[in-house]
Amino acid sequence: MKLRFAPSPTGLLHVGNARVALANWLLARQKGGRVLLRLDDTDTARSKAEYADALAEDLTWLGLDWDESFRQSDRLALYAAAAERLKASGHLYPCLENEDELKAKRDRQLRAGRPPIYDRAALSMTADQLARARANGKEPYWRFKLSHRSIAWRDGVLGERQVKLPSLSDPVLIRADGSPLYTFTSVVDDLDSGVTHILRGEDHVTNTGVQLDLWEALGGDPRALTFAHLPLLTDAEGGPLSKRLGALALRQLRRDGIEPAALAGYVAALGTATDPHPAMPRDLVPGFRLDAISRSAARFDPRQLLALNRRWLHGADFAAVQDRLPEGATEPFWLAVRGNLDLVTEAKAWWEVVAGTVVPPPQEEERDFLRAALETLPPEPWDEATWGAWTGALRNRTGRKGKALFLPLRLALTGDEHGPELKALLPQMGRERALLRLRVAAGAR
RNA sequence: GUCCCCAUCGUCUAGAGGCCUAGGACACCAGCCUUUCACGUUGGUAACACGGGUUCGAAUCCCGUUGGGGACGCCA
């Protein structure tokens, strides 16, 4: 058993890609299959090395790995050889129309209310015409002649599906400059690398029909292949995800403070009745089931993702987040604030509270109370008992209790009405900071 | 435009003719707990897109409408 994840390095990985990659990985790891990471970089104009690097990095961040990897641009000889075989068997035919002519043809068909399918005009081109074009320096591009039949398969997610080949254009496999196209390289590689399970997005179902036809033309046994297509994700409003891709790039989510366990857990449960929980891919392996995935498109809801992220954070060990915390942040600090965070990135603000500078808002009407607080502030050393001792003394002196007692203190000390327990925060910020802030809040100077 | 697919609470879904006064999780709201927030806990709001059939009986089957997604590239 071998599965492959085959992104093209033409942009950053987004949540839709992550879902497909994760599903491939989970299925492979669950059934003891191998994972191939294949870079579909035949579009040389759009492919970039930096995206290839980013891709590997993002997959690793998500907690995925792979057993083998190659890029298609390194295997051009393989595709050329396969093309020769197809030409020899009469499956590949040369065409001369340029892109403008093809576009005009399609527009004409569309206007006539017909599907824009290639009319196979080039099939009736004579050897003489071709020779003349070549003599004039015009090289042909090559199309694969589709069979006149329907291709059917039992899809792992969608159930029984079929594609009617006669209603499709013969796909271009080789450009006029000789470079191979995705439809072709994908099949050649699947055949050559021994892929057994193809798990990809639903936008590929027509490709599956075409590629199965091509697979057979190249001598492949269609029974050796199992297909499953995941319904595409939509955005939170139910619209195409493509509009939000920038915000939903793994890079961006990571930068925003989203944890890989939150993303993996969410995306693995999306489209199923399983209750999502934050977990890294390796912990999701036992529970993964392809046939549990719904046939309808699921919405990617950032709020749900955030809820999972929050849940993960609240139980996260210091060691698990240390590298994303502000310089110098300590374990007691983390334990004190983690319960108040939705995103790790929010820890920064609390680190300012205990180790940096906070300018509290002035509380003129609380001036007397804050002065009393200043006077009763215990000497250091401080520990977790200090807050209780201090507020106890203050209560005795001012007669205040409850909110009236601690809210002005919280506001003065942290600049905010809400936050982590002051019992833990106070000793971490230290007497110096506390004094300064109380004075500022009281309006002194 | 043509073809394909999909359609249950805000979100993900359970539901395969009577078990449904439609269940769960998350989100949301409220109470309790907590000297704030969060956690926890208790409760609540909230859905079968619409119209026709079939049937004793339909969320479940059929047809249509509407809505959404996808495919139709010398992109992948």
Side-chain angles (χ1 to χ4, degrees), chain A residues 23-351:
Chain A
N24 272 287
W25 189 90
L26 288 174
L27 194 61
R29 291 295 173 253
Q30 185 179 72
K31 311 273 193 215
R34 290 175 63 78
V35 176
L36 163 65
L37 173 64
R38 189 180 79 199
L39 259 37
D40 284 6
D41 59 350
T42 49
D43 186 342
T44 50
R46 292 194 302 150
S47 294
K48 291 202 171 101
E50 62 203 79
Y51 286 133
D53 295 341
L55 213 131
E57 192 186 307
D58 289 346
L59 288 174
T60 304
W61 170 76
L62 226 207
L64 305 183
D65 58 7
W66 46 92
D67 305 304
E68 53 186 291
S69 173
F70 62 76
R71 69 185 66 198
Q72 296 191 316
S73 54
D74 289 337
R75 296 158 65 88
L76 297 178
L78 189 70
Y79 312 130
E84 287 315 310
R85 276 192 282 145
L86 287 178
K87 284 177 193 172
S89 61
H91 286 287
L92 213 50
Y93 64 92
C95 305
L96 290 172
E97 302 98 326
N98 64 36
E99 297 190 50
D100 290 340
E101 288 168 337
L102 291 172
K103 172 108 172 50
K105 248 181 211 188
R106 281 196 297 269
D107 288 348
R108 223 175 300 134
Q109 288 168 309
L110 242 24
R111 269 198 306 277
R114 316 243 339 135
I117 297 167
Y118 181 62
D119 59 8
R120 291 185 163 171
L123 224 37
S124 51
M125 181 168 54
T126 64
D128 204 46
Q129 287 173 294
L130 181 61
R132 211 175 316 132
R134 279 186 147 147
N136 287 335
K138 183 167 174 66
E139 279 302 309
Y141 65 96
W142 300 78
R143 285 187 193 262
F144 174 69
K145 193 180 173 207
L146 289 171
S147 314
H148 192 79
R149 58 169 174 161
S150 286
I151 300 277
W153 71 93
R154 180 173 179 71
D155 195 282
V157 172
L158 304 178
E160 299 297 338
R161 292 294 300 245
Q162 65 159 354
V163 170
K164 298 186 183 82
L165 263 21
S167 68
L168 268 30
S169 291
D170 288 338
V172 174
L173 263 36
I174 311 287
R175 288 193 183 93
D177 68 4
S179 59
L181 261 6
Y182 159 80
T183 309
F184 184 41
T185 56
S186 183
V187 175
V188 171
D189 280 334
D190 287 338
L191 200 47
D192 179 74
S193 54
V195 164
T196 59
H197 295 249
I198 297 180
L199 180 47
R200 64 210 318 194
E202 194 177 8
D203 51 338
H204 281 287
V205 296
T206 23
N207 283 335
T208 294
V210 169
Q211 292 179 336
L212 234 17
D213 198 41
L214 182 52
W215 174 271
E216 286 193 51
L218 285 166
D221 180 350
R223 290 168 303 184
L225 239 32
T226 304
F227 285 91
H229 295 86
L230 301 183
L232 262 20
L233 260 27
T234 68
D235 67 21
E237 282 74 48
L241 200 62
S242 49
K243 291 181 300 190
R244 310 276 168 95
L245 254 30
L248 295 178
L250 268 50
R251 270 307 150 89
Q252 190 56 46
L253 292 175
R254 166 152 56 142
R255 213 171 294 147
D256 291 343
I258 294 292
E259 299 297 324
L263 215 217
Y266 177 49
V267 138
L270 236 199
T272 76
T274 313
D275 294 332
H277 63 280
M280 287 306 274
R282 64 175 170 277
D283 300 316
L284 293 164
V285 171
F288 182 71
R289 272 184 46 220
L290 204 53
D291 63 3
I293 298 173
S294 156
R295 281 149 88 134
S296 46
R299 300 182 188 209
F300 184 90
D301 188 347
R303 289 214 302 177
Q304 300 287 326
L305 176 62
L306 197 61
L308 282 190
N309 199 69
R310 182 192 309 142
R311 217 201 298 173
W312 185 87
L313 240 32
H314 289 182
D317 291 336
F318 178 58
V321 294
Q322 192 173 5
D323 60 335
R324 276 154 290 157
L325 261 21
E327 184 76 34
T330 61
E331 180 159 18
F333 165 74
W334 173 247
L335 296 179
V337 302
R338 66 177 183 181
N340 283 74
L341 308 178
D342 283 353
L343 300 160
V344 242
T345 45
E346 295 164 357
K348 190 166 183 282
W350 290 113
W351 183 244

Side-chain angles (χ1 to χ4, degrees), chain A residues 369 391 394-396 398-408:
Chain A
F369 174 70
T391 52
L394 249 184
R395 184 186 55 221
N396 290 340
T398 64
R400 289 201 189 202
K401 58 183 180 179
K403 271 192 174 175
L405 175 66
F406 67 80
L407 211 54

